Amino acid sequence: MFSQKQHQEEAQQVGSQFVRYYYNLFDTDRQQLQNLYTPESLLYWHGEVCRGSTQISSGITNLPFNKIVHVITTDDHQLTPQNYILSMVIGQLQMDSNRPVNFHETFLLKKESQSWMLINQAFRFTS
Amino acid sequence: MVDQPVWEQIGSSFVTHYYQMFDSDRSRLGAIYTDASCLTWEGQQFQGKLDIVKKLTSLPFTKIAHSITAQDHQPTPDCCILSMVVGQLKADNDPVMGFHQTFILKNVNDSWVCTNDMFRLALHNFG
C-alpha cells in the first residue's frame, strides 16, 4: 500500500505534467482541448459559467485572440479525499501583442478509464 | 440572495468565516480542518489538522487582515465545493500584497470542513 506521502507525490507528478500539457495545447491548438473535458465539466472563466465539453471548447476556441502564450510562475498539486487531483496555477499570459497579464487558475482532475479528465476549472485575470 | 445556488452560499460563507477567524485568532482554525486535510502553503505541504494549525500559528506576523477581491465556488461531482479566492492581505506593517487561495470543502456530519487548501502570495517573476 502506498503511504499518504507517496500518493501526494504521485499527485504532484501527474498534476505538474497535466498543467504543462494543458497550457502547451492551449497555446498551440486550443481546439484540441475539447478532449480533456466531459459532458459534466464546469469552467468558470473570469466569472462566466460554461458547462460541458462542447460549450467549454467552443468558448475557449472563440476567445478573441490568435496567438496566446502561457507562462507558469508556480503550480501546486494535491490529492483530494476522492482521489481527484487539485491543481492551482499562478502565471502570466500574453494574447497577441498585448502586454502580459497575470492569471490564477484552478483545476480538478478525475480519472475516467485510464485518462485524467478536467471536471472543474476556474480561471481569473488578476492584473 | 435567494437565487444564489447553494454551493455559492456555502462557499461564500465558508471563506468569509475562514478569513475572519484567520485574522482574529488563527489558532481556532483547527475546527475547519480534519486529520485527512492537506495544506500547501507557499509550496510546502502539511498533512492533517495538527500540522496545519502548527504551521498557520507559527507564521511570523502578529496582525493580519485579508480582503477578498474575487471568489468562485463550484459544485464537484463528489458533492464537494471547489472555491477559488483572489484577494489582498496586509501583515503587520508590511505593504499590502496580493494572494491566491483554493479550497475544497466537504460535508462531514452536517458540517463543512476543508479537506484541501492551497495558498500563494501573488509574486511574479517579470521578464
Side-chain angles (χ1 to χ4, degrees):
Chain A
M1 286 297 286
F2 286 113
S3 69
Q4 203 174 30
K5 185 165 190 281
Q6 282 166 312
H7 282 304
Q8 288 293 355
E9 278 168 8
E10 201 190 315
Q12 185 77 28
Q13 232 180 12
V14 173
S16 173
Q17 281 171 6
F18 178 88
V19 300
R20 280 156 179 82
Y21 174 75
Y22 179 87
Y23 290 124
N24 188 52
L25 201 54
F26 200 120
D27 295 353
T28 53
D29 186 4
R30 59 190 192 268
Q31 274 188 322
Q32 301 285 340
L33 290 169
Q34 181 158 20
N35 303 319
L36 298 175
Y37 298 98
T38 74
E40 285 74 42
S41 294
L42 205 47
L43 163 63
Y44 285 20
W45 199 85
H46 205 70
E48 248 182 66
V49 182
C50 291
R51 182 182 278 280
S53 45
T54 310
Q55 201 180 68
I56 291 171
S57 178
S58 164
I60 291 175
T61 309
N62 293 325
L63 287 168
F65 50 78
N66 293 318
K67 186 164 164 332
I68 184 161
V69 180
H70 289 82
V71 176
I72 296 173
T73 305
T74 59
D75 57 306
D76 294 305
H77 313 277
Q78 290 178 1
L79 201 64
T80 77
Q82 295 73 21
N83 292 321
Y84 297 168
I85 293 178
L86 175 69
S87 297
M88 183 171 89
V89 175
I90 294 166
Q92 296 189 296
L93 61 84
Q94 184 176 26
M95 295 179 284
D96 294 324
S97 50
N98 298 319
R99 64 169 180 83
V101 288
N102 300 328
F103 74 90
H104 178 196
E105 192 150 34
T106 293
F107 301 93
L108 195 61
L109 304 178
K110 178 182 176 184
K111 202 158 196 189
E112 284 187 8
S113 304
Q114 289 303 306
S115 302
W116 287 97
M117 305 302 288
L118 250 177
I119 50 166
N120 289 84
Q121 184 180 355
F123 170 91
R124 283 227 174 233
F125 290 109
T126 55
S127 71
Chain B
M1 278 176 75
V2 173
D3 290 312
Q4 204 184 23
V6 65
W7 55 84
E8 265 185 42
Q9 289 176 35
I10 294 166
S12 139
S13 297
F14 175 88
V15 301
T16 302
H17 179 61
Y18 175 89
Y19 293 116
Q20 266 172 9
M21 230 183 347
F22 200 115
D23 294 353
S24 58
D25 182 4
R26 53 196 194 270
S27 68
R28 289 168 48 221
L29 285 168
I32 59 127
Y33 295 104
T34 71
D35 294 331
S37 296
C38 186
L39 164 69
T40 303
W41 185 273
E42 282 289 292
Q44 247 194 316
Q45 215 172 72
F46 301 89
Q47 220 44 71
K49 174 202 300 233
L50 287 176
D51 278 358
I52 290 173
V53 175
K54 197 165 144 195
K55 171 64 183 177
L56 296 179
T57 51
S58 71
L59 290 169
F61 47 77
T62 312
K63 188 159 141 31
I64 183 149
H66 290 81
S67 79
I68 297 174
T69 307
Q71 51 183 303
D72 292 298
H73 308 284
Q74 299 180 6
T76 73
D78 55 343
C79 303
C80 290
I81 294 173
L82 171 66
S83 296
M84 186 170 95
V85 176
V86 176
Q88 296 193 302
L89 59 82
K90 185 171 165 62
D92 293 327
N93 295 318
D94 295 344
V96 171
M97 292 174 78
F99 75 87
H100 305 99
Q101 197 151 10
T102 291
F103 301 97
I104 290 203
L105 310 179
K106 183 179 165 153
N107 191 308
V108 175
N109 299 328
D110 271 339
S111 175
W112 286 91
V113 295
C114 176
T115 59
N116 299 82
D117 179 353
M118 294 176 172
F119 173 90
R120 283 266 181 194
L121 289 167
L123 302 166
H124 291 269
N125 298 317
F126 293 100

